[in-house]
Amino acid sequence: MFNNNLKKEALKIHEKTLAEYNASYGIMGKSCELLYEIRGKSVELIKLVQEVVNSIANTPKQFDTELGKIGKERRKARTGSMQKT
């Protein structure tokens, strides 16, 4: 009888913890999908900004350096997004 009560209590704790885990897992999955979509939009936005800056004549040298870094990161992001699919 004593062990039976412990078992029931342990099962209740387990079920509660499992429900919390499943809820957290669902939220995390939705958050990851949203983050992935935002990442894709960011890559496209950076590409558009890069095109605008490149179209402006007499751009300062620091823009070229920064755009080079951004371009590298954009390519890394695109490569990472292709690996997901």
Side-chain angles (χ1 to χ4, degrees):
M1 187 183 226
F2 179 72
N3 288 335
N4 194 20
N5 289 335
L6 286 177
K7 182 179 177 182
K8 287 180 182 179
E9 186 178 333
L11 284 173
K12 285 180 186 178
I13 292 170
H14 173 72
E15 289 171 2
K16 180 182 174 190
T17 305
L18 182 62
E20 290 173 1
Y21 171 81
N22 286 336
S24 296
Y25 184 82
I27 291 169
M28 179 60 90
K30 290 177 184 176
S31 296
C32 288
E33 288 175 8
L34 179 62
L35 182 61
Y36 183 75
E37 289 175 19
I38 291 170
R39 180 180 175 187
K41 291 176 182 178
S42 298
V43 168
E44 291 302 313
L45 183 60
I46 290 170
K47 183 178 176 182
L48 292 173
V49 169
Q50 188 176 16
E51 289 175 8
V52 168
V53 171
N54 284 338
S55 70
I56 300 171
N58 301 323
T59 56
K61 180 67 178 166
Q62 81 183 63
F63 279 128
D64 293 335
T65 303
E66 290 300 315
L67 287 176
K69 291 177 185 177
I70 290 171
K72 277 185 188 176
E73 291 299 318
R74 186 174 54 85
R75 284 189 293 278
K76 274 201 268 184
R78 190 177 333 127
T79 302
S81 65
M82 287 180 181
Q83 291 174 353
K84 182 181 181 245
T85 56

